[in-house]
Amino acid sequence: PVDIRADGVPALSFTLELTVHPGVLGPPPLLTVARVYRQDLLLGEHRDQAYADEASWPLERATYRLLRAHGIDAIFREPALEPFDDDDGSVPAAEWQRFDRTCRPLRAFEVPLPVPDAAASPAERARQDARLAAAARAWTEHLAARGWLDRAFTYPIDEPDLADYDHVTAVIRTIHDASAGRLPILVTEQPYPLDPVDNWYSASAERTHGPDLYTRTAATPVAIWAVNGQLAFPGADPANSSALAIDRVHERGARWWLY
């Protein structure tokens, strides 16, 4: 029997019945289950941004450890500092030191890269591509020297539309080539033919902009396929079942996430 009481509201009583199945789970953590945005950490009054200053750092570090003690990993997107120069990708030593201290306790973090503008002129796009490549090389060398490449990922374009596939493929190729395939790339897209659940593109659009990203990135493999929940298990179409999708990811040695 359970009784719940609080001031100002009616009491609630009920009987809770539990069924215990014969089985034993392995030691935690079984899976990374949560992402904590840096700006979501409230580290004290007027400190709603992680690594706001030296005074907030001990509490930030304690927060990571507290989350991990409860089986939750903090996966940071877009770290507060951006250690690359606008022109040549160089990074001041002090910026690297700040980044190293911030991310040392983490088991997963995003590498922020300067993604080119798809609508830029050819000359400007070439400049932006060179800047992206320089930043990818700088990050790769820095993380490799610390043994952190397996903890990092770069997430260049969020939930691309079908019309974005040419741009996404080009960006992935630049990052892959600049890092010699060592910097893990994450995409929020399904790794199988288009629209197994909701066919929101016309057949002509699919013919124009296809094929799917998995096929397009055969030579520049994506390390993590993070799939929207409604597209992670497309059981309505047997040809695009979740088993096939997961198998395709694992065939390339990639990781499978869903959100």
Side-chain angles (χ1 to χ4, degrees):
V2 178
D3 293 312
I4 300 176
R5 303 180 186 280
D7 293 340
V9 296
L12 177 64
S13 299
F14 60 91
T15 299
L16 177 65
E17 182 176 314
L18 302 178
T19 300
V20 180
H21 293 278
V24 179
L25 295 177
L30 298 175
L31 183 68
T32 297
V33 296
R35 178 177 67 205
V36 179
Y37 279 87
R38 180 173 288 270
Q39 60 268 30
D40 289 341
L41 291 179
L42 183 61
L43 300 177
E45 187 175 4
H46 306 306
R47 287 181 183 153
D48 59 354
Q49 173 71 39
Y51 207 86
D53 51 42
E54 291 295 320
S56 71
W57 170 241
L59 185 56
E60 179 182 353
R61 182 174 53 195
T63 302
Y64 306 153
R65 291 173 175 169
L66 177 64
L67 290 170
R68 187 177 299 174
H70 289 273
I72 299 173
D73 273 332
I75 304 178
F76 279 167
R77 285 194 56 202
E78 301 170 357
L81 66 159
E82 297 181 354
F84 54 82
D85 184 82
D86 282 350
D87 295 324
D88 61 4
S90 62
V91 180
E95 287 295 290
W96 280 133
Q97 291 168 5
R98 290 178 58 202
F99 173 81
D100 288 349
R101 185 169 69 166
T102 304
C103 290
R104 185 173 289 112
L106 303 181
R107 286 191 286 191
F109 52 84
E110 180 188 3
V111 169
L113 294 179
V115 177
D117 181 0
S121 67
E124 176 61 18
R125 178 60 186 264
R127 188 191 74 80
Q128 293 182 12
D129 283 342
R131 178 170 170 253
L132 171 62
R137 280 192 296 270
W139 273 101
T140 301
E141 292 168 3
H142 184 84
L143 297 175
R146 283 149 183 79
W148 291 358
L149 277 172
D150 62 339
R151 295 164 48 187
F153 62 89
T154 188
Y155 179 24
I157 297 172
D158 183 43
E159 294 187 330
D161 290 330
L162 181 57
D164 299 326
Y165 277 10
D166 284 342
H167 178 53
V168 174
T169 304
V171 169
I172 288 174
R173 184 182 304 114
T174 298
I175 297 171
H176 178 275
D177 292 349
S179 68
R182 294 185 295 165
L183 184 59
I185 299 171
L186 177 147
V187 297
T188 45
E189 189 65 308
Q190 64 273 12
Y192 40 70
L194 300 167
D195 307 326
V197 177
D198 298 317
N199 190 9
W200 54 81
Y201 299 116
S202 67
S204 62
E206 293 187 4
R207 285 194 298 271
T208 300
H209 299 292
D212 57 277
L213 278 180
Y214 184 90
T215 301
R216 287 169 173 260
T217 57
T220 55
V222 169
I224 305 169
W225 291 87
V227 183
N228 186 289
Q230 69 166 334
L231 300 177
F233 305 102
D237 183 350
N240 292 318
S241 69
S242 59
L244 172 62
I246 296 173
D247 286 346
R248 295 190 88 187
V249 167
H250 289 169
E251 284 171 3
R252 291 185 182 171
R255 283 174 279 176
W256 167 267
W257 293 0
L258 63 93
Y259 64 98

